[in-house]
Amino acid sequence: MQIILGITGGVAAYKSAELARLLANQGNRVRCILTEAGARFITPLTLSSLTGEPCFGANPNQGEWRANPSIEHIELARWADLVVVVPATANILGKAANGLATDLLSTVLLATRAPVLWAPAMNTGMWEHPAVQANIARLRSFGHAVVDPGEGILACGEEGSGKLAEVASIAEAIQAHGTPNLPSLAGRRVLITSGPTREDLDPVRTLTNRSTGAMGIELARAFRDVGAQVLLVLGGDMASPWGVETLRVRSAQEMLEACESRWADSDGLVAAAAVADQRPEQPSSQKVKKVDGAETLALVRTPDILANLSAVRRADQWVLGFAAESENHLEHAATKLKKKGLDAVLVNDIQGVRAFGAQANTLTPVTAQGPQAPIGPLPKDQLARAVVLWWAHQLEARESGR
Ligand SMILES: Cc1cc2nc3c(=O)[nH]c(=O)nc-3n(C[C@H](O)[C@H](O)[C@H](O)COP(=O)(O)O)c2cc1C
């Protein structure tokens, strides 16, 4: 991808060097444009050294506009597949929201037809000011995307919102913009469950499992990247990915309720969560004391989320289940497919493999046509992308009646 990285005048400008390096290492071509204020915080030399491309805009030796036979702002505007501004000052947001073109960066922003992504950073008072919020809303209405700032201690010493988003989140948003949409999934609402559930015994003890939620989170990213609107219902402690609406839940019952509240609005379900099958029959509101002799814990079944949602699915909704089996994995997957009325079960043969938390993994799709070619072994991010591609092809084939 060819990326223009605009850098404006805030203390967080030093973080744009890290982002430039990351994007260049991922194989992107990155051209930086510094504003005059941006150049007070970071030098063109740093940025051109990291990207291997010239740095444009304010330059101590050449000034804002170079004597150049080509019309630089138009050439750059056409060259870009994506324009990102990191950090974005209140000033550049205001200029871009109002069509002002007073320097190279603001002119490129006006001239380009490429998607635009903003990562604002500023003092909390500035960020919360109605003028800035109105400018952000206006930019969104142009189709621009925003990586919202986070909360924390700011360079000015204040604590609050306005802190530049993590470089990794910004890079993720850039990756999402660089992935082509898939027609069978773009704009579709996909409900994904992920992570472990926790069933409390008492205020300090809980029944759970070894799932981390990593696979479901990678699936959420992969569906997002091809244009789906993803709602992630997430157990466990992992961070939710950029651009994915997330409902955090604890128990199987909470996960069921969260899913039920959104299932009718969804086009498909990807049930990747490792839901506890049992919960303590009598959770205690006080810490349970140890007693002498043998102890017994009475368990009851938790609701079957997949079966519940599948039972009320409409004909236009699709359902993908996951299974981790240590023996006869294909037979078990075929039984689950039929019993719960699913479109496919992606089964993981966990015999001799640490699927939970493991780096590389293999999934075999089982459909009404029987087991399909295994996908993997691949690291979870690549595996998730391969699963999404496989499913998109299935949907396309289904929609074209093949
Ligand atoms: C030390 C210092 C830090 C600044 N930090 C920010 C900031 O984080 N966010 C912001 O919007 N403006 C910040 N400003 C103000 C901008 O630099 C100023 O509005 C400038 O005109 C922005 O120009 P530009 O948008 O063309 O880069 C800061 C100014 C100074 C002197």
PDB file of all heavy atoms in Angstrom, residues 7-13 34-41 85 87-93 95 102-103 105-106 120-123 126-127 132 154-156 162, ligand 1:
ATOM      1  N   ILE A   7       2.092  14.502   9.573  1.00  0.00           N
ATOM      2  CA  ILE A   7       2.490  14.663  10.977  1.00  0.00           C
ATOM      3  C   ILE A   7       2.367  16.133  11.336  1.00  0.00           C
ATOM      4  O   ILE A   7       2.988  16.991  10.696  1.00  0.00           O
ATOM      5  CB  ILE A   7       3.948  14.176  11.172  1.00  0.00           C
ATOM      6  CG1 ILE A   7       4.034  12.692  10.776  1.00  0.00           C
ATOM      7  CG2 ILE A   7       4.402  14.375  12.617  1.00  0.00           C
ATOM      8  CD1 ILE A   7       5.418  12.251  10.407  1.00  0.00           C
ATOM      9  N   THR A   8       1.540  16.408  12.350  1.00  0.00           N
ATOM     10  CA  THR A   8       1.296  17.803  12.708  1.00  0.00           C
ATOM     11  C   THR A   8       1.904  18.110  14.077  1.00  0.00           C
ATOM     12  O   THR A   8       2.471  17.238  14.734  1.00  0.00           O
ATOM     13  CB  THR A   8      -0.216  18.118  12.657  1.00  0.00           C
ATOM     14  OG1 THR A   8      -0.889  17.276  13.580  1.00  0.00           O
ATOM     15  CG2 THR A   8      -0.788  17.904  11.274  1.00  0.00           C
ATOM     16  N   GLY A   9       1.736  19.372  14.504  1.00  0.00           N
ATOM     17  CA  GLY A   9       2.525  19.894  15.621  1.00  0.00           C
ATOM     18  C   GLY A   9       2.038  19.578  17.010  1.00  0.00           C
ATOM     19  O   GLY A   9       1.494  20.437  17.709  1.00  0.00           O
ATOM     20  N   GLY A  10       2.259  18.347  17.459  1.00  0.00           N
ATOM     21  CA  GLY A  10       1.964  17.970  18.843  1.00  0.00           C
ATOM     22  C   GLY A  10       3.119  17.151  19.388  1.00  0.00           C
ATOM     23  O   GLY A  10       3.917  16.602  18.621  1.00  0.00           O
ATOM     24  N   VAL A  11       3.171  17.057  20.724  1.00  0.00           N
ATOM     25  CA  VAL A  11       4.277  16.322  21.352  1.00  0.00           C
ATOM     26  C   VAL A  11       4.291  14.860  20.893  1.00  0.00           C
ATOM     27  O   VAL A  11       5.352  14.250  20.740  1.00  0.00           O
ATOM     28  CB  VAL A  11       4.162  16.391  22.895  1.00  0.00           C
ATOM     29  CG1 VAL A  11       5.307  15.671  23.559  1.00  0.00           C
ATOM     30  CG2 VAL A  11       4.125  17.846  23.354  1.00  0.00           C
ATOM     31  N   ALA A  12       3.101  14.318  20.618  1.00  0.00           N
ATOM     32  CA  ALA A  12       3.023  12.905  20.220  1.00  0.00           C
ATOM     33  C   ALA A  12       3.655  12.649  18.848  1.00  0.00           C
ATOM     34  O   ALA A  12       3.704  11.502  18.396  1.00  0.00           O
ATOM     35  CB  ALA A  12       1.573  12.441  20.228  1.00  0.00           C
ATOM     36  N   ALA A  13       4.159  13.708  18.190  1.00  0.00           N
ATOM     37  CA  ALA A  13       4.756  13.531  16.860  1.00  0.00           C
ATOM     38  C   ALA A  13       5.886  12.499  16.886  1.00  0.00           C
ATOM     39  O   ALA A  13       6.127  11.814  15.895  1.00  0.00           O
ATOM     40  CB  ALA A  13       5.258  14.873  16.326  1.00  0.00           C
ATOM     41  N   LEU A  34       5.289  16.684   6.693  1.00  0.00           N
ATOM     42  CA  LEU A  34       5.354  17.401   7.975  1.00  0.00           C
ATOM     43  C   LEU A  34       4.732  18.778   7.811  1.00  0.00           C
ATOM     44  O   LEU A  34       4.991  19.469   6.816  1.00  0.00           O
ATOM     45  CB  LEU A  34       6.814  17.611   8.358  1.00  0.00           C
ATOM     46  CG  LEU A  34       7.503  16.558   9.211  1.00  0.00           C
ATOM     47  CD1 LEU A  34       8.989  16.906   9.303  1.00  0.00           C
ATOM     48  CD2 LEU A  34       6.891  16.515  10.598  1.00  0.00           C
ATOM     49  N   THR A  35       3.965  19.202   8.808  1.00  0.00           N
ATOM     50  CA  THR A  35       3.571  20.609   8.821  1.00  0.00           C
ATOM     51  C   THR A  35       4.736  21.402   9.438  1.00  0.00           C
ATOM     52  O   THR A  35       5.660  20.818  10.023  1.00  0.00           O
ATOM     53  CB  THR A  35       2.315  20.845   9.673  1.00  0.00           C
ATOM     54  OG1 THR A  35       2.613  20.459  11.018  1.00  0.00           O
ATOM     55  CG2 THR A  35       1.128  20.066   9.150  1.00  0.00           C
ATOM     56  N   GLU A  36       4.633  22.718   9.321  1.00  0.00           N
ATOM     57  CA  GLU A  36       5.711  23.548   9.877  1.00  0.00           C
ATOM     58  C   GLU A  36       5.823  23.314  11.387  1.00  0.00           C
ATOM     59  O   GLU A  36       6.917  23.166  11.930  1.00  0.00           O
ATOM     60  CB  GLU A  36       5.375  25.008   9.596  1.00  0.00           C
ATOM     61  CG  GLU A  36       6.601  25.864   9.483  1.00  0.00           C
ATOM     62  CD  GLU A  36       6.213  27.292   9.100  1.00  0.00           C
ATOM     63  OE1 GLU A  36       5.429  27.466   8.154  1.00  0.00           O
ATOM     64  OE2 GLU A  36       6.698  28.197   9.799  1.00  0.00           O
ATOM     65  N   ALA A  37       4.648  23.235  12.071  1.00  0.00           N
ATOM     66  CA  ALA A  37       4.685  22.991  13.520  1.00  0.00           C
ATOM     67  C   ALA A  37       5.184  21.581  13.809  1.00  0.00           C
ATOM     68  O   ALA A  37       5.923  21.358  14.774  1.00  0.00           O
ATOM     69  CB  ALA A  37       3.296  23.213  14.124  1.00  0.00           C
ATOM     70  N   GLY A  38       4.792  20.614  12.969  1.00  0.00           N
ATOM     71  CA  GLY A  38       5.242  19.232  13.144  1.00  0.00           C
ATOM     72  C   GLY A  38       6.761  19.145  13.100  1.00  0.00           C
ATOM     73  O   GLY A  38       7.379  18.389  13.857  1.00  0.00           O
ATOM     74  N   ALA A  39       7.362  19.944  12.216  1.00  0.00           N
ATOM     75  CA  ALA A  39       8.822  19.906  12.037  1.00  0.00           C
ATOM     76  C   ALA A  39       9.571  20.469  13.250  1.00  0.00           C
ATOM     77  O   ALA A  39      10.784  20.309  13.342  1.00  0.00           O
ATOM     78  CB  ALA A  39       9.205  20.677  10.775  1.00  0.00           C
ATOM     79  N   ARG A  40       8.835  21.101  14.177  1.00  0.00           N
ATOM     80  CA  ARG A  40       9.494  21.550  15.408  1.00  0.00           C
ATOM     81  C   ARG A  40       9.635  20.379  16.382  1.00  0.00           C
ATOM     82  O   ARG A  40      10.369  20.455  17.350  1.00  0.00           O
ATOM     83  CB  ARG A  40       8.686  22.655  16.078  1.00  0.00           C
ATOM     84  CG  ARG A  40       8.495  23.841  15.169  1.00  0.00           C
ATOM     85  CD  ARG A  40       8.549  25.143  15.941  1.00  0.00           C
ATOM     86  NE  ARG A  40       8.377  26.239  15.010  1.00  0.00           N
ATOM     87  CZ  ARG A  40       7.223  26.861  14.793  1.00  0.00           C
ATOM     88  NH1 ARG A  40       6.170  26.530  15.499  1.00  0.00           N
ATOM     89  NH2 ARG A  40       7.142  27.830  13.925  1.00  0.00           N
ATOM     90  N   PHE A  41       8.852  19.326  16.148  1.00  0.00           N
ATOM     91  CA  PHE A  41       8.852  18.193  17.082  1.00  0.00           C
ATOM     92  C   PHE A  41       9.655  17.000  16.553  1.00  0.00           C
ATOM     93  O   PHE A  41      10.151  16.197  17.322  1.00  0.00           O
ATOM     94  CB  PHE A  41       7.419  17.738  17.373  1.00  0.00           C
ATOM     95  CG  PHE A  41       6.620  18.736  18.158  1.00  0.00           C
ATOM     96  CD1 PHE A  41       5.877  19.716  17.524  1.00  0.00           C
ATOM     97  CD2 PHE A  41       6.627  18.712  19.553  1.00  0.00           C
ATOM     98  CE1 PHE A  41       5.145  20.649  18.250  1.00  0.00           C
ATOM     99  CE2 PHE A  41       5.893  19.641  20.283  1.00  0.00           C
ATOM    100  CZ  PHE A  41       5.158  20.619  19.630  1.00  0.00           C
ATOM    101  N   VAL A  85      -3.190  10.847   9.323  1.00  0.00           N
ATOM    102  CA  VAL A  85      -2.580  11.992  10.003  1.00  0.00           C
ATOM    103  C   VAL A  85      -2.377  11.617  11.469  1.00  0.00           C
ATOM    104  O   VAL A  85      -3.340  11.389  12.203  1.00  0.00           O
ATOM    105  CB  VAL A  85      -3.432  13.274   9.862  1.00  0.00           C
ATOM    106  CG1 VAL A  85      -2.685  14.464  10.472  1.00  0.00           C
ATOM    107  CG2 VAL A  85      -3.757  13.538   8.408  1.00  0.00           C
ATOM    108  N   PRO A  87       0.360  12.556  14.749  1.00  0.00           N
ATOM    109  CA  PRO A  87      -0.855  12.942  15.436  1.00  0.00           C
ATOM    110  C   PRO A  87      -1.561  14.055  14.661  1.00  0.00           C
ATOM    111  O   PRO A  87      -0.922  14.806  13.919  1.00  0.00           O
ATOM    112  CB  PRO A  87      -0.321  13.472  16.784  1.00  0.00           C
ATOM    113  CG  PRO A  87       1.016  14.060  16.443  1.00  0.00           C
ATOM    114  CD  PRO A  87       1.573  13.186  15.348  1.00  0.00           C
ATOM    115  N   ALA A  88      -2.869  14.148  14.853  1.00  0.00           N
ATOM    116  CA  ALA A  88      -3.636  15.222  14.220  1.00  0.00           C
ATOM    117  C   ALA A  88      -3.944  16.281  15.270  1.00  0.00           C
ATOM    118  O   ALA A  88      -4.539  15.978  16.309  1.00  0.00           O
ATOM    119  CB  ALA A  88      -4.924  14.660  13.631  1.00  0.00           C
ATOM    120  N   THR A  89      -3.527  17.501  15.008  1.00  0.00           N
ATOM    121  CA  THR A  89      -3.818  18.608  15.930  1.00  0.00           C
ATOM    122  C   THR A  89      -5.257  19.092  15.752  1.00  0.00           C
ATOM    123  O   THR A  89      -5.890  18.841  14.718  1.00  0.00           O
ATOM    124  CB  THR A  89      -2.900  19.809  15.634  1.00  0.00           C
ATOM    125  OG1 THR A  89      -3.049  20.124  14.241  1.00  0.00           O
ATOM    126  CG2 THR A  89      -1.457  19.529  15.963  1.00  0.00           C
ATOM    127  N   ALA A  90      -5.724  19.851  16.735  1.00  0.00           N
ATOM    128  CA  ALA A  90      -7.032  20.498  16.611  1.00  0.00           C
ATOM    129  C   ALA A  90      -7.036  21.381  15.360  1.00  0.00           C
ATOM    130  O   ALA A  90      -8.044  21.469  14.641  1.00  0.00           O
ATOM    131  CB  ALA A  90      -7.296  21.341  17.859  1.00  0.00           C
ATOM    132  N   ASN A  91      -5.878  21.984  15.092  1.00  0.00           N
ATOM    133  CA  ASN A  91      -5.759  22.901  13.957  1.00  0.00           C
ATOM    134  C   ASN A  91      -5.997  22.207  12.616  1.00  0.00           C
ATOM    135  O   ASN A  91      -6.811  22.657  11.808  1.00  0.00           O
ATOM    136  CB  ASN A  91      -4.362  23.528  14.006  1.00  0.00           C
ATOM    137  CG  ASN A  91      -4.121  24.479  12.876  1.00  0.00           C
ATOM    138  OD1 ASN A  91      -4.873  25.421  12.676  1.00  0.00           O
ATOM    139  ND2 ASN A  91      -3.064  24.235  12.114  1.00  0.00           N
ATOM    140  N   ILE A  92      -5.337  21.065  12.387  1.00  0.00           N
ATOM    141  CA  ILE A  92      -5.499  20.398  11.078  1.00  0.00           C
ATOM    142  C   ILE A  92      -6.901  19.834  10.946  1.00  0.00           C
ATOM    143  O   ILE A  92      -7.479  19.824   9.858  1.00  0.00           O
ATOM    144  CB  ILE A  92      -4.418  19.309  10.843  1.00  0.00           C
ATOM    145  CG1 ILE A  92      -4.426  18.806   9.398  1.00  0.00           C
ATOM    146  CG2 ILE A  92      -4.594  18.114  11.762  1.00  0.00           C
ATOM    147  CD1 ILE A  92      -3.837  19.738   8.413  1.00  0.00           C
ATOM    148  N   LEU A  93      -7.483  19.362  12.058  1.00  0.00           N
ATOM    149  CA  LEU A  93      -8.866  18.852  11.996  1.00  0.00           C
ATOM    150  C   LEU A  93      -9.804  19.976  11.557  1.00  0.00           C
ATOM    151  O   LEU A  93     -10.680  19.789  10.717  1.00  0.00           O
ATOM    152  CB  LEU A  93      -9.302  18.303  13.365  1.00  0.00           C
ATOM    153  CG  LEU A  93      -8.554  17.067  13.883  1.00  0.00           C
ATOM    154  CD1 LEU A  93      -8.900  16.808  15.355  1.00  0.00           C
ATOM    155  CD2 LEU A  93      -8.883  15.833  13.055  1.00  0.00           C
ATOM    156  N   LYS A  95      -9.026  22.693   9.894  1.00  0.00           N
ATOM    157  CA  LYS A  95      -8.797  23.084   8.501  1.00  0.00           C
ATOM    158  C   LYS A  95      -9.472  22.097   7.551  1.00  0.00           C
ATOM    159  O   LYS A  95     -10.177  22.476   6.618  1.00  0.00           O
ATOM    160  CB  LYS A  95      -7.290  23.150   8.224  1.00  0.00           C
ATOM    161  CG  LYS A  95      -6.623  24.360   8.860  1.00  0.00           C
ATOM    162  CD  LYS A  95      -5.355  24.780   8.146  1.00  0.00           C
ATOM    163  CE  LYS A  95      -4.166  23.962   8.524  1.00  0.00           C
ATOM    164  NZ  LYS A  95      -2.897  24.556   8.049  1.00  0.00           N
ATOM    165  N   THR A 102      -3.988  25.520   3.405  1.00  0.00           N
ATOM    166  CA  THR A 102      -3.014  26.588   3.627  1.00  0.00           C
ATOM    167  C   THR A 102      -1.571  26.098   3.593  1.00  0.00           C
ATOM    168  O   THR A 102      -0.653  26.902   3.697  1.00  0.00           O
ATOM    169  CB  THR A 102      -3.247  27.236   5.007  1.00  0.00           C
ATOM    170  OG1 THR A 102      -3.075  26.214   5.994  1.00  0.00           O
ATOM    171  CG2 THR A 102      -4.634  27.831   5.124  1.00  0.00           C
ATOM    172  N   ASP A 103      -1.380  24.794   3.531  1.00  0.00           N
ATOM    173  CA  ASP A 103      -0.014  24.256   3.434  1.00  0.00           C
ATOM    174  C   ASP A 103      -0.076  22.934   2.674  1.00  0.00           C
ATOM    175  O   ASP A 103      -1.151  22.527   2.218  1.00  0.00           O
ATOM    176  CB  ASP A 103       0.620  24.096   4.830  1.00  0.00           C
ATOM    177  CG  ASP A 103      -0.182  23.175   5.748  1.00  0.00           C
ATOM    178  OD1 ASP A 103      -1.167  22.570   5.269  1.00  0.00           O
ATOM    179  OD2 ASP A 103       0.178  23.058   6.933  1.00  0.00           O
ATOM    180  N   LEU A 105       0.185  19.705   3.547  1.00  0.00           N
ATOM    181  CA  LEU A 105      -0.646  18.615   4.085  1.00  0.00           C
ATOM    182  C   LEU A 105      -2.133  18.912   3.912  1.00  0.00           C
ATOM    183  O   LEU A 105      -2.892  18.062   3.426  1.00  0.00           O
ATOM    184  CB  LEU A 105      -0.312  18.362   5.569  1.00  0.00           C
ATOM    185  CG  LEU A 105      -1.140  17.258   6.218  1.00  0.00           C
ATOM    186  CD1 LEU A 105      -0.944  15.910   5.515  1.00  0.00           C
ATOM    187  CD2 LEU A 105      -0.799  17.118   7.709  1.00  0.00           C
ATOM    188  N   SER A 106      -2.558  20.113   4.286  1.00  0.00           N
ATOM    189  CA  SER A 106      -3.998  20.407   4.179  1.00  0.00           C
ATOM    190  C   SER A 106      -4.443  20.411   2.716  1.00  0.00           C
ATOM    191  O   SER A 106      -5.585  20.057   2.401  1.00  0.00           O
ATOM    192  CB  SER A 106      -4.351  21.719   4.887  1.00  0.00           C
ATOM    193  OG  SER A 106      -3.508  22.756   4.463  1.00  0.00           O
ATOM    194  N   PRO A 120      -6.190  11.752  16.294  1.00  0.00           N
ATOM    195  CA  PRO A 120      -6.011  13.027  16.991  1.00  0.00           C
ATOM    196  C   PRO A 120      -5.272  12.865  18.320  1.00  0.00           C
ATOM    197  O   PRO A 120      -5.330  11.804  18.946  1.00  0.00           O
ATOM    198  CB  PRO A 120      -7.442  13.497  17.254  1.00  0.00           C
ATOM    199  CG  PRO A 120      -8.330  12.600  16.461  1.00  0.00           C
ATOM    200  CD  PRO A 120      -7.586  11.326  16.274  1.00  0.00           C
ATOM    201  N   ALA A 121      -4.592  13.920  18.730  1.00  0.00           N
ATOM    202  CA  ALA A 121      -3.962  13.961  20.063  1.00  0.00           C
ATOM    203  C   ALA A 121      -3.929  15.411  20.509  1.00  0.00           C
ATOM    204  O   ALA A 121      -3.481  16.285  19.762  1.00  0.00           O
ATOM    205  CB  ALA A 121      -2.537  13.410  20.005  1.00  0.00           C
ATOM    206  N   MET A 122      -4.439  15.651  21.689  1.00  0.00           N
ATOM    207  CA  MET A 122      -4.423  17.025  22.209  1.00  0.00           C
ATOM    208  C   MET A 122      -4.833  17.027  23.669  1.00  0.00           C
ATOM    209  O   MET A 122      -5.280  15.996  24.199  1.00  0.00           O
ATOM    210  CB  MET A 122      -5.346  17.938  21.383  1.00  0.00           C
ATOM    211  CG  MET A 122      -6.808  17.577  21.428  1.00  0.00           C
ATOM    212  SD  MET A 122      -7.755  18.279  20.046  1.00  0.00           S
ATOM    213  CE  MET A 122      -7.194  17.320  18.659  1.00  0.00           C
ATOM    214  N   ASN A 123      -4.699  18.162  24.294  1.00  0.00           N
ATOM    215  CA  ASN A 123      -5.134  18.385  25.674  1.00  0.00           C
ATOM    216  C   ASN A 123      -6.636  18.072  25.805  1.00  0.00           C
ATOM    217  O   ASN A 123      -7.399  18.274  24.859  1.00  0.00           O
ATOM    218  CB  ASN A 123      -4.804  19.861  25.995  1.00  0.00           C
ATOM    219  CG  ASN A 123      -5.603  20.409  27.121  1.00  0.00           C
ATOM    220  OD1 ASN A 123      -6.729  20.861  26.922  1.00  0.00           O
ATOM    221  ND2 ASN A 123      -5.044  20.384  28.295  1.00  0.00           N
ATOM    222  N   MET A 126      -9.120  20.752  24.914  1.00  0.00           N
ATOM    223  CA  MET A 126      -9.216  20.953  23.462  1.00  0.00           C
ATOM    224  C   MET A 126     -10.055  19.846  22.829  1.00  0.00           C
ATOM    225  O   MET A 126     -10.946  20.100  22.020  1.00  0.00           O
ATOM    226  CB  MET A 126      -7.811  20.959  22.837  1.00  0.00           C
ATOM    227  CG  MET A 126      -6.963  22.150  23.227  1.00  0.00           C
ATOM    228  SD  MET A 126      -5.225  21.916  22.758  1.00  0.00           S
ATOM    229  CE  MET A 126      -5.251  22.239  21.002  1.00  0.00           C
ATOM    230  N   TRP A 127      -9.764  18.583  23.195  1.00  0.00           N
ATOM    231  CA  TRP A 127     -10.463  17.436  22.595  1.00  0.00           C
ATOM    232  C   TRP A 127     -11.962  17.491  22.875  1.00  0.00           C
ATOM    233  O   TRP A 127     -12.786  17.182  22.024  1.00  0.00           O
ATOM    234  CB  TRP A 127      -9.849  16.133  23.105  1.00  0.00           C
ATOM    235  CG  TRP A 127     -10.600  14.898  22.666  1.00  0.00           C
ATOM    236  CD1 TRP A 127     -11.271  14.031  23.453  1.00  0.00           C
ATOM    237  CD2 TRP A 127     -10.759  14.425  21.315  1.00  0.00           C
ATOM    238  NE1 TRP A 127     -11.846  13.034  22.697  1.00  0.00           N
ATOM    239  CE2 TRP A 127     -11.556  13.248  21.373  1.00  0.00           C
ATOM    240  CE3 TRP A 127     -10.333  14.872  20.059  1.00  0.00           C
ATOM    241  CZ2 TRP A 127     -11.912  12.511  20.251  1.00  0.00           C
ATOM    242  CZ3 TRP A 127     -10.700  14.139  18.920  1.00  0.00           C
ATOM    243  CH2 TRP A 127     -11.469  12.988  19.017  1.00  0.00           C
ATOM    244  N   VAL A 132     -14.085  21.199  18.299  1.00  0.00           N
ATOM    245  CA  VAL A 132     -13.285  20.060  17.832  1.00  0.00           C
ATOM    246  C   VAL A 132     -14.206  18.867  17.568  1.00  0.00           C
ATOM    247  O   VAL A 132     -14.090  18.179  16.544  1.00  0.00           O
ATOM    248  CB  VAL A 132     -12.174  19.707  18.861  1.00  0.00           C
ATOM    249  CG1 VAL A 132     -11.483  18.398  18.499  1.00  0.00           C
ATOM    250  CG2 VAL A 132     -11.164  20.848  18.949  1.00  0.00           C
ATOM    251  N   LEU A 154      -1.413  13.192  30.028  1.00  0.00           N
ATOM    252  CA  LEU A 154      -1.016  13.858  28.788  1.00  0.00           C
ATOM    253  C   LEU A 154       0.283  14.630  29.005  1.00  0.00           C
ATOM    254  O   LEU A 154       0.718  14.857  30.141  1.00  0.00           O
ATOM    255  CB  LEU A 154      -2.123  14.806  28.331  1.00  0.00           C
ATOM    256  CG  LEU A 154      -3.512  14.159  28.224  1.00  0.00           C
ATOM    257  CD1 LEU A 154      -4.566  15.198  27.887  1.00  0.00           C
ATOM    258  CD2 LEU A 154      -3.501  13.074  27.165  1.00  0.00           C
ATOM    259  N   ALA A 155       0.889  15.043  27.874  1.00  0.00           N
ATOM    260  CA  ALA A 155       2.170  15.756  27.958  1.00  0.00           C
ATOM    261  C   ALA A 155       2.047  17.030  28.798  1.00  0.00           C
ATOM    262  O   ALA A 155       2.993  17.453  29.461  1.00  0.00           O
ATOM    263  CB  ALA A 155       2.656  16.091  26.555  1.00  0.00           C
ATOM    264  N   CYS A 156       0.836  17.614  28.825  1.00  0.00           N
ATOM    265  CA  CYS A 156       0.632  18.851  29.577  1.00  0.00           C
ATOM    266  C   CYS A 156       0.498  18.580  31.080  1.00  0.00           C
ATOM    267  O   CYS A 156       0.352  19.512  31.869  1.00  0.00           O
ATOM    268  CB  CYS A 156      -0.608  19.567  29.062  1.00  0.00           C
ATOM    269  SG  CYS A 156      -2.076  18.523  29.134  1.00  0.00           S
ATOM    270  N   GLY A 162      -7.638  12.416  25.157  1.00  0.00           N
ATOM    271  CA  GLY A 162      -6.868  13.251  24.241  1.00  0.00           C
ATOM    272  C   GLY A 162      -5.511  12.655  23.927  1.00  0.00           C
ATOM    273  O   GLY A 162      -4.788  13.156  23.062  1.00  0.00           O
TER     274      GLY A 162
HETATM  275  C1  LIG B   1       4.800  22.225  23.104  1.00  0.00           C
HETATM  276  C2  LIG B   1       3.561  22.257  22.275  1.00  0.00           C
HETATM  277  C3  LIG B   1       2.752  21.169  22.240  1.00  0.00           C
HETATM  278  C4  LIG B   1       1.577  21.144  21.491  1.00  0.00           C
HETATM  279  N1  LIG B   1       0.805  20.034  21.484  1.00  0.00           N
HETATM  280  C5  LIG B   1      -0.353  20.024  20.763  1.00  0.00           C
HETATM  281  C6  LIG B   1      -1.151  18.864  20.723  1.00  0.00           C
HETATM  282  O1  LIG B   1      -0.830  17.806  21.305  1.00  0.00           O
HETATM  283  N2  LIG B   1      -2.309  18.899  20.020  1.00  0.00           N
HETATM  284  C7  LIG B   1      -2.714  20.019  19.349  1.00  0.00           C
HETATM  285  O2  LIG B   1      -3.782  19.988  18.746  1.00  0.00           O
HETATM  286  N3  LIG B   1      -1.952  21.118  19.348  1.00  0.00           N
HETATM  287  C8  LIG B   1      -0.778  21.158  20.053  1.00  0.00           C
HETATM  288  N4  LIG B   1       0.000  22.291  20.061  1.00  0.00           N
HETATM  289  C9  LIG B   1      -0.439  23.457  19.293  1.00  0.00           C
HETATM  290  C10 LIG B   1      -0.115  23.298  17.810  1.00  0.00           C
HETATM  291  O3  LIG B   1       1.272  23.046  17.638  1.00  0.00           O
HETATM  292  C11 LIG B   1      -0.557  24.541  17.053  1.00  0.00           C
HETATM  293  O4  LIG B   1      -1.965  24.614  17.073  1.00  0.00           O
HETATM  294  C12 LIG B   1      -0.054  24.561  15.625  1.00  0.00           C
HETATM  295  O5  LIG B   1      -0.510  25.729  14.991  1.00  0.00           O
HETATM  296  C13 LIG B   1      -0.521  23.363  14.865  1.00  0.00           C
HETATM  297  O6  LIG B   1      -0.128  23.455  13.516  1.00  0.00           O
HETATM  298  P1  LIG B   1      -0.307  22.239  12.500  1.00  0.00           P
HETATM  299  O7  LIG B   1      -1.677  21.716  12.700  1.00  0.00           O
HETATM  300  O8  LIG B   1      -0.142  22.842  11.144  1.00  0.00           O
HETATM  301  O9  LIG B   1       0.767  21.254  12.771  1.00  0.00           O
HETATM  302  C14 LIG B   1       1.193  22.319  20.790  1.00  0.00           C
HETATM  303  C15 LIG B   1       2.035  23.419  20.816  1.00  0.00           C
HETATM  304  C16 LIG B   1       3.191  23.395  21.533  1.00  0.00           C
HETATM  305  C17 LIG B   1       4.087  24.622  21.533  1.00  0.00           C
END
